[in-house]
Amino acid sequence: MKTIDPINTTNPNGFKNQASAALEDTNLQTALQRAKSGFIEKRKKAIHLVDDFEHLKTQAQQAKQSALDNLNHHLALFEKNVVASGGAVHRAKTPAELNQIVLKICQQQNAKLVTKGKSMVSEETHLNAFLEKHGISTAETDLGEYIIQLAKEKPSHIIAPAVHKTRQQVAELFKHNHELGERDLEEIRALVDEARAMLRKAFLLADVGITGANLLVADTGSVAIVTNEGNGDLTATLPKTHIVTASIEKVVANMEDAGKILQVLGRSATGQAMSTYTSFFNGPRRTEDLDGPSAFHVVILDNGRSDILNSKYKDMMRCIKCGACLNHCPVYGAVGGHAYGDVYPGPMGSVLTPLMKGIEQATPLPNASTFCGRCEEVCPMSIPLPELLRQLRNDQATKGLAPKLQSMALGIYGWLARKPRLFQLTMGMFGRVVKLFKVSHILPQETPAPDAPDTFVQQWKKSKQGHSENE
Amino acid sequence: MNNLEPASPQSSAAQKPQVALFATCLVNTFHTKVGFAAAALLDAIGYSVEVPTQQTCCGQPNYNNGDHNGAITVAKHTIETLTSYDHVIVPSSSCAGMIKNHYPRLLDAEHDWRRKAEGLANKTWELVDFVYQKKRHALPSNADFRKTITHHDSCSSIRETKVTDQVRSLIAECLPNAHFKELSESEACCGFGGTFCVKFGDIASQLATNKITDIGNTKADYCTSLDSGCNAHLNRFAESYETVRLQHLAVFLAEQLNLATFESAKD
Ligand code: SF4
């Protein structure tokens, strides 16, 4: 029996209802609770182990910023060096363009099966669905991605796509999809082994391997990917063709700068000094190489990023997709990633989604923050996420997208706040009403007696007058 | 100068250095006791407290909800109201942070106003920080208090005003026999977030429930905090924990140290 997963029909403007549903989902709550404490603790430990993490952050930010400041130059240099090593670079302005380019390469290879490493860019463009529509099967090889592909869902986290699932749910999913008979899938190890066995076939059969990119190194033309499962390497090296899907802001000047970013990436993401596998790919297989693909393509997506770079939101382009802001966000921690209704969840997604999709397409997201500031604190690239969200709220109001009642109330309040006497009278009255109707949640435990309903300023004035009369 | 005796409200105000108390809209309207307790603490360490009557709100409701222009006019009003005082004391990390960190940024485009905003930012203090840094030794202590306390670090006290260690030290000095127990997730947000708890009620209530559970698990008799916003929000859910009292640290200290408050003067 198939059930329609509501997760696949979510959208950013439906955040409020999606969040409410998420709060009711006990499996999701169990999974989130476990994941959250793990991520936070691991990061804390990893950072504790280095002498001066602030210094590493500064270095990484400078490396990234200098690449962004001269982006076109670095992208051109990257392209030149990829070509020099025998590969090809393609530029895609829109998700549709990227999909077309990838499809064309696959068709030239007569590809029937594509293996995929984790790539958020391909999530952005819905590449899997597009290829499947054109008769090309896709097999996700990252364990998390594999799980959600089986479940016909979308990633709920940018580095841990299936973090919303409990181990029991994954076991059920495997039993349902792999016809292997009765077996014990109680232990994580058993789950991993089974996935590995299933994926092995795909690795050997695939015609094309598609991976994402964590970094594009301009002066060597290398593509770096970091994984913990080694699946990225098998995806990149076993098939005859390797396609990298990346986005423009991934480029850095040189290996030294790449190293600076890698130093903060693993620690911020999973609390690792370095991910288990950090691989650099340089063009197709050379004659003296023992393995590797015979064709190497890098497709670089813009999808609104150039516009963001030219706007007051340009800081967002320093993001290295480490996921730390998700892991430390109270709202993400409570509702998970699917509630956000798009590819990028959490604080970084609440900034990116409206910027990439249109501000009116994601109005709840910038508001879905308590401004606790923890995201900015843990962001290795020091992106001022709360400030960017605040700017987006301001843009919403300027464009007339804020709720009318809210704008009206703020208008009145802002006006009152410049009329001190009237402000005291109104607030006193407001307080009286709240106390009268016992709107208890606004009242402190030490609720003032109802016969003293004045504001503090009014009470203070009276008590002072009392004093001078007494003296 | 180093008056170790707690000053009484009636003592001559003339020789004492003056501070302005900016009550904040929440304290002004609902948590008035926090205002009186703040005044009592300041008085006890030898300051003469002035409550400027022109004060209203710091402007955060507008600032955080997309009305930057509204926030700018409120900020200017507040700057004009407070600019003549040597020290401005705010019994809230959130509102103190607004004045200290956000006013200058908000008024960046207007040179003169930015300068004024910076001037005010430099002399604005979160209440407990001020008491601790300036004259904590002038506060009396109460060695008879032997109960258990925990403290909720509001997000703004962690990140805007950075008043966390000061709280622990102040409690340890004033109540040497108190048993202080940390929350297990002291950096987790309680879900208040100003208008956030109105816009996303069920997420906010989940976060509050997490926090209340954490507080309950400490088995503390008191939970203090520096922000009435968090307290108001948490109080909605605190009923189920009859044993713990959630209080603003100023109210808690004024009560436990038996400080004279001006509030009683009206009787
Ligand atoms: S915004 Fe910062 S913390 Fe969040 S994913 Fe990007 S780099 Fe990591």
Side-chain angles (χ1 to χ4, degrees), chain A residues 158 268 316 318-326 348 375 378-383 385:
Chain A
I158 57 174
S268 304
M316 197 59 227
R318 284 202 306 272
C319 175
I320 54 172
K321 311 269 159 34
C322 72
C325 59
L326 280 61
M348 52 85 81
C375 51
V378 298
C379 175
M381 303 314 273
S382 296
I383 297 171
L385 292 152

Side-chain angles (χ1 to χ4, degrees), chain A residues 16 20 23 367 370 372 374 377 387 390 393-394 406 410 413 417 424 441-442 445 455-457 460, chain B residues 28-29 31 51 54 56-57 62-66 68 105 155 159 189 199-200 202 206 232 236 246:
Chain A
K16 205 170 146 56
S20 303
L23 288 167
N367 294 292
T370 64
C372 76
R374 210 171 175 188
E377 185 180 87
E387 180 54 26
R390 194 181 278 117
R393 293 183 191 183
N394 203 42
Q406 174 186 309
L410 287 175
Y413 187 77
Q424 294 305 337
H441 64 271
I442 309 186
Q445 279 182 339
T455 65
F456 170 70
V457 171
W460 177 270
Chain B
N28 186 41
T29 313
H31 296 225
V51 177
Q54 300 292 301
T56 56
C57 169
N62 299 72
Y63 183 57
N64 287 338
N65 286 290
H68 280 198
R105 187 178 346 177
C155 299
R159 298 181 192 94
C189 174
K199 291 182 188 167
F200 299 100
D202 47 4
Q206 160 106 30
R236 288 171 69 186
L246 234 58

Side-chain angles (χ1 to χ4, degrees), chain B residues 133-168:
Chain B
Q133 310 280 2
K134 290 285 177 179
K135 277 195 174 184
R136 61 181 177 279
H137 304 302
L139 278 182
S141 67
N142 176 1
D144 294 335
F145 184 94
R146 294 171 187 281
K147 294 188 169 160
T148 305
I149 318 168
T150 187
H151 181 76
H152 162 54
D153 293 295
S154 66
C155 299
S156 40
S157 62
I158 299 174
R159 298 181 192 94
E160 295 279 349
T161 55
K162 305 193 195 315
V163 188
T164 52
D165 294 347
Q166 299 93 311
V167 169
R168 276 85 181 156

Side-chain angles (χ1 to χ4, degrees), chain A residues 425-440:
Chain A
L425 284 174
T426 317
M427 293 313 268
M429 226 142 65
F430 180 50
R432 217 167 299 206
V433 171
V434 167
K435 284 163 205 164
L436 197 67
F437 289 98
K438 296 204 169 35
V439 187
S440 61

Side-chain angles (χ1 to χ4, degrees), chain A residues 30-268:
Chain A
T30 311
L32 285 173
Q33 197 49 44
R34 205 193 36 234
K36 188 172 71 183
S37 45
F39 276 129
I40 292 177
E41 282 308 308
K42 282 182 196 154
R43 176 187 169 275
K44 199 178 260 169
K45 276 196 196 122
I47 280 163
H48 202 72
L49 286 174
V50 286
D51 285 343
D52 191 354
F53 191 65
E54 284 307 308
H55 175 66
L56 295 186
K57 271 167 67 177
T58 311
Q59 275 193 343
Q61 286 162 27
Q62 282 166 352
K64 190 79 175 174
Q65 195 55 52
S66 68
L68 291 175
D69 287 343
N70 221 335
L71 188 70
N72 287 334
H73 161 76
H74 289 107
L75 284 171
L77 188 61
F78 173 76
E79 177 164 354
K80 193 181 124 213
N81 287 319
V82 171
V83 172
S85 59
V89 173
H90 316 258
R91 301 285 294 268
K93 236 189 135 35
T94 62
E97 277 177 42
L98 179 135
N99 287 350
Q100 282 298 343
I101 294 167
V102 173
L103 177 68
K104 221 169 120 195
I105 301 169
C106 290
Q107 284 172 340
Q108 279 163 1
Q109 301 300 317
N110 251 322
K112 298 277 172 290
L113 175 66
V114 167
T115 42
K116 281 190 71 222
K118 212 172 108 32
S119 158
M120 290 311 291
V121 163
S122 76
E123 295 291 342
E124 246 178 71
T125 71
H126 306 290
L127 178 63
N128 288 9
F130 180 80
L131 291 178
E132 305 262 349
K133 212 172 76 197
H134 288 84
I136 299 171
S137 304
T138 57
E140 292 287 352
T141 64
D142 170 273
L143 180 58
E145 292 280 352
Y146 176 69
I147 292 167
I148 57 161
Q149 194 180 27
L150 284 184
K152 301 192 171 40
E153 291 178 10
K154 290 174 186 160
S156 70
H157 190 291
I158 57 174
I159 65 157
V163 72
H164 58 286
K165 292 224 170 292
T166 62
R167 182 160 42 88
Q168 290 74 13
Q169 284 178 303
V170 176
E172 271 311 300
L173 197 62
F174 279 14
K175 289 199 168 150
H176 198 80
N177 282 276
H178 304 154
E179 283 165 9
L180 297 173
E182 267 312 303
R183 61 205 185 280
D184 186 13
L185 291 179
E186 275 302 297
E187 299 297 313
I188 299 241
R189 187 74 256 166
L191 289 171
V192 174
D193 285 345
E194 180 162 321
R196 177 172 291 143
M198 300 305 292
L199 282 167
R200 185 112 320 196
K201 289 180 228 153
F203 279 128
L204 296 172
L205 285 173
D207 311 290
V208 173
I210 300 177
T211 67
N214 290 93
L215 296 159
L216 307 174
V217 185
D219 80 343
T220 58
S222 325
V223 172
I225 62 170
V226 300
T227 71
N228 275 322
E229 297 161 17
N231 64 306
D233 304 284
L234 293 178
T235 306
T237 51
L238 289 180
K240 284 208 293 294
T241 302
H242 177 197
I243 305 175
V244 178
T245 49
S247 48
I248 56 170
E249 85 286 5
K250 289 278 184 259
V251 75
V252 291
N254 49 44
M255 282 293 179
E256 201 189 329
D257 282 1
K260 289 174 185 165
I261 290 171
L262 290 173
Q263 296 237 37
V264 298
L265 177 60
R267 291 185 168 94
S268 304

